[in-house]
């Protein structure tokens, strides 16, 4: 008789008792479930080793493993194996490898059978539920990708349209002016149209650059105390001509006691975007309301219009990039759909929140910006007298009179523009078209300031400034230098300054900015004129 059969015959009752004790506390389900058929399990074990089970108490009532969860079943069969092993050791029995294999196979197969009985139906239900979940997830991901592709295609088409439209007007008027057939009274209109379209295109490019900076985390704020009402008033001045042209009523109520810590330029950009949208979409004779008020520990800027309103379906997507309520080809208003996205990012960078409300199509829109209140006082910035009225026309700083300026740019049109601008301020201008020519004139003329383009064929502006800084001071190696470039990102400005330039002026050139930079460099480095 094998060791297992001997154990079952001699110490059957003891095995049942110990197994029951071993089960206590292993799983709450084992304490509340109907008694497991211990006798039936042991009888099956005896038969598995080829022996006849000894007579004993009648088997327990029929019991199904479905009554227990999988974890409890594992405890059930583990306890059986541990009990049999302990009693074999106490008896000094040495079961044969065959007996041990039978015992192990019985326990593991019983566990597998019980777990299988626990419910193929339940398992199938779980599998079906998981399959449906995966299908739903895959369908949502596919729809998301298709929507992203659609938005990308629409955005690229919009960019192409918005950049080409002002180009058409500018190039068309330039050709008309060049033909010389335009009556003198229309010259001013032509120039005004060219300038307006150029500025519109410049704004589109700035929006694209801002989005790029925001997405790459490279947009920086120059934080200082800011009076919100002053920022709003400046933005209002910018949009008032367009509002007057449409006959819009602008109603304002501005609390001048609200100060925040922020970047005044970026906050003005936020308000300008909101006001521009309100003016753009409000029909003639409509109304735009602007409020600034302190509310608890924040300052609220509210812009409300009587425009076409926003549908409830589109309202949640209002501040998303590249999203516009109207289709690409049927839009009544221009733009890239980036303005409100930039507003949201800038407001959040200031620690605030922006929200929009509309009762529906045809019922206007209200946008509210809430910024945390600051108790700091606003600092007054001293503006040089020569630049206080720069927006009324190009004012020439007196420091430019007699200043010797060496210009390097491969574009003839740019050289002529800069020459005309600076000579109009009595500066002495030398223009060059290549790095070698510029270096030669630098040694000969010893200018007070060097102005150089960056992107040029052959040697670029970085190559020029490296060769200039390698010269001894007596040959112009310390000449103040300004980088004039269309590369206007933050990293481009950083690279320019690290390369050896003293200042960075982005294209398209704002004359007032360039004149101010040159005047600053002249005074800072004490240019000596002969």
């Amino acid at each position: 008789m094998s060791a297992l059969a001997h154990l079952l015959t001699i110490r059957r009752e003891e095995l049942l008792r110990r197994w029951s004790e071993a089960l206590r506390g292993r799983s709450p389900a084992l304490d509340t479930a109907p008694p497991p058929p211990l006798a039936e399990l042991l009888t099956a074990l005896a038969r598995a080793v080829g022996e006849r089970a000894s007579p004993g108490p009648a088997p327990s009532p029929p019991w199904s493993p479905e009554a227990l969860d999988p974890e409890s079943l594992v405890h059930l069969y583990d306890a059986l194996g541990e009990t049999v092993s302990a009693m074999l050791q106490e008896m000094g029995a040495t079961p044969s490898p065959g007996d041990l294999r039978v015992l192990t196979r019985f326990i593991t197969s019983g566990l597998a059978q019980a777990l299988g009985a626990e419910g193929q139906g339940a398992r199938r239900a779980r599998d079906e539920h998981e399959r449906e979940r995966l299908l739903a997830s895959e369908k949502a991901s596919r729809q998301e990708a298709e929507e992203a592709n659609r938005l990308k295609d629409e955005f690229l088409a919009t960019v192409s349209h918005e950049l080409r439209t002002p180009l058409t007007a500018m190039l068309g008027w330039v050709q008309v002016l060049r033909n010389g057939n335009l009556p003198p009274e229309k010259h001013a209109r032509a120039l005004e149209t060219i300038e307006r379209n150029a500025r519109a295109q410049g704004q589109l490019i700035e929006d694209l650059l801002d989005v790029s900076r925001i997405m790459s985390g490279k947009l920086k704020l120059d934080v200082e105390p800011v009076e919100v009402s002053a920022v709003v008033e400046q933005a209002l001045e910018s949009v008032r001509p367009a509002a007057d042209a449409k006959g819009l009523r602008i109603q304002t109520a501005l609390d001048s006691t609200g100060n925040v810590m922020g970047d005044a330029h970026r906050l003005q950009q936020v308000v300008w975007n909101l006001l521009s949208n309100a003016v753009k979409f409000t029909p003639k004779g409509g109304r735009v309301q602007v409020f600034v008020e302190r509310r608890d520990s924040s300052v609220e800027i509210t812009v409300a219009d009587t425009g076409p309103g926003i549908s409830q379906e589109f309202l949640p997507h209002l501040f998303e990039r590249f999203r516009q309520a109207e289709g690409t080809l049927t839009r009544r208003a221009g733009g890239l759909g980036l303005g409100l996205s930039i507003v949201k990012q800038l407001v959040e960078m200031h620690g605030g929140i922006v929200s929009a409300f509309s009762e529906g199509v045809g019922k206007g829109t209200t946008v509210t910006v809430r910024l945390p209140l600051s108790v700091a006082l606003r600092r007054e910035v001293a503006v040089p007298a020569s630049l206080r009225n720069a927006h009324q026309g190009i004012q020439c700083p007196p420091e430019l009179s007699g200043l010797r300026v060496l210009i390097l740019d491969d574009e003839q049109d740019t050289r002529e523009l800069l020459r005309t601008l600076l000579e109009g301020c009595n500066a002495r201008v030398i223009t060059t078209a290549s790095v070698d020519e510029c270096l030669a004139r630098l040694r000969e003329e010893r200018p007070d300031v060097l102005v150089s383009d960056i992107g040029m064929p052959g040697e670029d502006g970085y190559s020029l400034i490296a060769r200039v800084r390698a010269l001894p001071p007596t040959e112009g190696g310390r000449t103040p230098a300004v980088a004039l470039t269309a590369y206007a990102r933050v990293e481009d400005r950083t690279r320019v300054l690290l390369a050896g330039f003293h200042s960075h002026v982005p294209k398209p050139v704002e004359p007032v900015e360039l004149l101010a930079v040159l005047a600053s460099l002249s005074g800072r480095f004490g240019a000596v004129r002969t």
Side-chain angles (χ1 to χ4, degrees):
M1 180 180 291
S2 70
L4 285 175
H6 181 70
L7 171 66
L8 293 173
T9 303
I10 304 302
R11 305 189 65 181
R12 180 176 184 279
E13 296 300 326
E14 179 67 12
L15 176 61
L16 295 178
R17 186 184 63 79
R18 290 195 184 186
W19 187 24
S20 298
E21 291 178 354
L23 289 174
R24 292 175 185 170
R26 294 216 176 191
S27 171
L30 295 175
D31 296 332
T32 59
L38 306 183
E40 292 179 356
L41 289 172
L42 292 176
T43 300
L45 179 58
R47 289 174 179 168
V49 297
E51 299 293 343
R52 189 178 182 84
S54 60
S60 303
W63 174 80
S64 171
E66 285 89 337
L68 297 178
D69 58 82
E71 185 177 355
S72 297
L73 287 168
V74 172
H75 293 316
L76 183 72
Y77 284 92
D78 281 350
L80 174 61
E82 293 169 3
T83 304
V84 171
S85 298
M87 293 187 67
L88 286 173
Q89 290 178 5
E90 291 175 5
M91 295 174 62
T94 306
S96 67
D99 286 343
L100 291 178
R101 283 196 299 271
V102 169
L103 175 62
T104 302
R105 185 167 60 250
F106 173 80
I107 293 176
T108 55
S109 63
L111 177 60
Q113 183 181 4
L115 289 176
E118 179 261 337
Q120 295 179 355
R123 192 161 55 246
R124 283 196 300 270
R126 286 199 304 270
D127 292 344
E128 181 67 19
H129 175 73
E130 180 67 11
R131 187 179 70 84
E132 291 178 357
R133 187 188 67 81
L134 291 175
L135 285 175
S137 176
E138 189 275 336
K139 182 179 180 181
S141 298
R142 184 174 66 253
Q143 290 177 343
E144 213 171 287
E146 290 173 352
E147 178 70 4
N149 281 332
R150 185 186 66 80
L151 290 176
K152 180 193 68 175
D153 292 342
E154 284 190 2
F155 175 68
L156 291 176
T158 302
V159 169
S160 175
H161 175 270
E162 292 299 316
L163 292 179
R164 288 174 181 272
T165 299
L167 275 178
T168 301
M170 290 187 287
L171 292 176
W173 278 109
V174 167
Q175 291 175 357
V176 171
L177 289 171
R178 182 176 295 165
N179 291 335
N181 298 325
L182 193 68
E185 62 271 15
K186 290 189 177 181
H187 279 202
R189 179 187 173 189
L191 294 174
E192 179 185 348
T193 302
I194 293 172
E195 180 181 5
R196 182 176 66 254
N197 282 276
R199 292 188 181 279
Q201 193 174 67
Q203 183 60 50
L204 294 174
I205 295 171
E206 280 300 316
D207 285 347
L208 289 171
L209 290 175
D210 280 343
V211 169
S212 175
R213 296 184 190 111
I214 289 170
M215 294 179 68
S216 61
K218 295 180 179 179
L219 183 65
K220 306 299 181 185
L221 300 180
D222 295 325
V223 179
E224 63 178 353
V226 177
E227 183 183 313
V228 176
S229 61
V231 168
V232 174
E233 286 175 352
Q234 292 171 4
L236 280 168
E237 289 302 315
S238 299
V239 302
R240 200 176 293 277
D244 292 342
K246 294 181 69 174
L248 303 182
R249 290 175 295 151
I250 296 184
Q251 301 173 338
T252 62
L254 310 180
D255 185 345
S256 61
T257 62
N259 296 315
V260 301
M261 292 297 295
D263 186 320
H265 171 71
R266 292 298 181 182
L267 289 177
Q268 184 175 346
Q269 182 180 355
V270 167
V271 180
W272 181 86
N273 265 303
L274 298 180
L275 289 173
S276 294
N277 277 348
V279 171
K280 181 194 301 184
F281 292 105
T282 302
K284 291 183 178 181
R287 182 187 69 230
V288 176
Q289 296 176 312
V290 186
F291 306 110
V292 175
E293 57 182 332
R294 292 180 57 173
R295 190 180 295 274
D296 299 328
S297 59
S298 62
V299 180
E300 284 191 0
I301 306 170
T302 303
V303 178
D305 62 58
T306 57
I310 303 170
S311 67
Q312 297 303 309
E313 294 77 16
F314 185 77
L315 195 59
H317 306 289
L318 185 64
F319 295 99
E320 294 178 8
R321 283 191 295 269
F322 315 140
R323 295 296 292 262
Q324 294 184 324
E326 297 179 308
T328 304
L329 299 178
T330 58
R331 295 183 309 147
R332 289 170 291 180
L336 299 179
L338 299 177
L340 291 179
S341 170
I342 294 173
V343 165
K344 182 176 186 293
Q345 296 293 334
L346 291 178
V347 170
E348 290 178 352
M349 289 178 69
H350 283 81
I353 56 175
V354 59
S355 59
F357 170 76
S358 176
E359 293 183 354
V361 177
K363 297 183 179 180
T365 305
T366 300
V367 181
T368 301
V369 173
R370 176 175 293 184
L371 300 169
L373 187 66
S374 169
V375 296
L377 296 178
R378 181 172 179 268
R379 293 181 298 180
E380 295 296 331
V381 180
V383 180
S386 60
L387 301 180
R388 282 177 187 163
N389 299 316
H391 65 281
Q392 299 176 357
I394 298 178
Q395 303 291 324
C396 292
E399 296 87 349
L400 298 186
S401 181
L403 188 73
R404 293 172 298 187
V405 182
L406 175 60
I407 296 174
L408 168 60
D409 200 297
D410 62 310
E411 293 288 342
Q412 174 67 26
D413 292 343
T414 303
R415 293 198 299 270
E416 288 303 317
L417 169 65
L418 296 178
R419 176 189 288 278
T420 302
L421 175 65
L422 295 177
E423 287 182 346
C425 290
N426 299 319
R428 296 165 57 186
V429 182
I430 308 154
T431 60
T432 59
S434 69
V435 171
D436 289 337
E437 181 186 2
C438 181
L439 286 171
R441 299 302 298 272
L442 180 73
R443 292 189 182 97
E444 294 172 6
E445 303 290 342
R446 294 295 309 280
D448 298 320
V449 182
L450 168 65
V451 177
S452 172
D453 189 16
I454 292 295
M456 295 179 291
E459 290 189 273
D460 58 16
Y462 295 117
S463 174
L464 169 69
I465 199 63
R467 294 173 64 177
V468 169
R469 296 300 177 230
L471 297 174
T474 55
E475 296 183 23
R478 298 182 62 185
T479 303
V482 178
L484 192 64
T485 173
Y487 299 102
R489 298 175 303 172
V490 173
E491 51 267 39
D492 296 322
R493 181 176 183 274
T494 302
R495 183 183 176 190
V496 160
L497 298 178
L498 292 176
F501 287 96
H502 294 93
S503 188
H504 170 275
V505 177
K507 293 181 179 179
V509 180
E510 284 289 346
V512 173
E513 180 181 3
L514 178 61
L515 297 181
V517 168
L518 293 176
S520 174
L521 290 178
S522 169
R524 190 190 314 172
F525 292 93
V528 179
R529 310 184 185 98
T530 59

